[in-house]
């Protein structure tokens, strides 16, 4: 979990996960849009990550209160697309905080295959991000579509790489003037 004051962590924890209630809960039907009704066992709802994780990990009895499912951004269709060519997937359309959501979700699940796919995805996309950041024309033309699909973590990486490249060019220019 991120810092209490980190807005990215707060927004990540607000992302919804599909959950299935494993017990009847009186008066909680408003979560499912049924004000005043009970939440029945087997009801499927989408809950914020922070709430779903808490309910799954803090059982009232011998079994969990809810079962969590992986979010849609980590379903097999998306993972297969990432395996095929990670640079073509619009991660921002999947989730604004894709990697942060994946990390927080995978703290609750043991999915080694997903971890491997996401690690390879990040490595391959980081090379492309660095290429666009160091190229003065990187954000123009065909690169614009790729850059629009970056999630927040990748956008921060792009900004850092772009700014460092820009500062390096300025520094090199100053060195040439002195020589």
């Amino acid at each position: 979990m991120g810092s209490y004051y980190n807005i990215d962590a707060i927004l990540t924890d607000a992302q919804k996960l599909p959950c299935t209630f494993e017990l009847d809960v009186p008066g909680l039907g408003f979560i499912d849009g049924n004000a005043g009704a009970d939440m029945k066992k087997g009801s499927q709802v989408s809950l914020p990550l922070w709430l779903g994780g808490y309910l799954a990990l803090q059982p009232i009895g011998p079994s969990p209160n809810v079962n969590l499912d992986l979010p849609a951004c980590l379903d097999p269709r998306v993972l297969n697309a990432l395996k095929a060519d990670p640079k073509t997937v619009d991660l921002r359309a999947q989730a604004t905080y894709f990697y942060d959501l994946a990390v927080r979700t995978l703290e609750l699940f043991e999915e080694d295959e997903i971890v491997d796919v996401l690690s390879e995805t990040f490595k391959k996309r980081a090379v492309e991000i660095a290429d666009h950041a160091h190229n003065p024309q990187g954000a123009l033309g065909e690169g614009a579509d790729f850059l629009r699909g970056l999630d927040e973590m990748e956008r921060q990486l792009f900004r850092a790489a772009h700014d460092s490249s820009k500062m390096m060019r300025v520094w090199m220019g100053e060195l040439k003037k002195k020589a």
Side-chain angles (χ1 to χ4, degrees):
M1 179 173 207
S3 168
Y4 180 78
Y5 297 106
N6 182 339
I7 190 68
D8 292 333
I10 293 167
L11 292 172
T12 298
D13 281 350
Q15 299 287 311
K16 304 258 179 153
L17 288 182
C19 304
T20 305
F21 274 81
E22 296 300 320
L23 60 124
D24 293 334
V25 183
L28 201 59
F30 67 89
I31 290 179
D32 198 19
N34 299 321
D38 297 341
M39 181 65 69
K40 300 290 185 194
K41 180 178 180 175
S43 297
Q44 294 183 339
V45 295
S46 291
L47 296 175
L49 176 60
W50 67 269
L51 180 58
Y54 179 78
L55 291 173
L57 297 175
Q58 301 294 325
I60 292 174
S63 62
N65 303 328
V66 298
N67 281 330
L68 297 175
D69 294 321
L70 289 171
C73 66
L74 296 177
D75 74 7
R77 178 186 53 81
V78 175
L79 294 175
N80 287 336
L82 290 173
K83 287 178 194 175
D85 188 3
K87 294 179 276 186
T88 61
V89 179
D90 183 350
L91 293 184
R92 191 168 194 79
Q94 300 302 319
T96 304
Y97 295 91
F98 179 83
Y99 289 110
D100 293 333
L101 178 61
V103 167
R104 286 282 291 123
T105 301
L106 292 172
E107 289 173 358
L108 304 170
F109 295 90
E110 291 186 28
E111 296 284 344
D112 293 335
E113 180 187 358
I114 295 175
V115 171
D116 295 340
V117 169
L118 294 179
S119 294
E120 284 303 309
T121 295
F122 187 79
K123 290 175 193 174
K124 290 177 182 174
R125 288 175 66 97
V127 170
E128 190 77 13
I129 291 167
D131 184 41
H132 286 289
H134 294 289
N135 179 356
Q137 302 297 320
L140 303 173
E142 64 188 47
D145 289 335
F146 175 72
L147 295 176
R148 270 193 292 275
L150 300 181
D151 91 317
E152 282 303 312
M153 183 184 294
E154 291 175 328
R155 285 177 181 224
Q156 290 173 3
L157 178 63
F158 175 81
R159 280 187 216 106
H162 180 72
D163 291 347
S164 67
S165 176
K166 189 174 163 184
M167 288 187 285
M168 182 68 144
R169 282 192 296 270
V170 168
W171 180 70
M172 292 297 287
E174 290 173 2
L175 282 179
K176 287 180 182 177
K177 287 179 186 177
K178 290 180 182 178

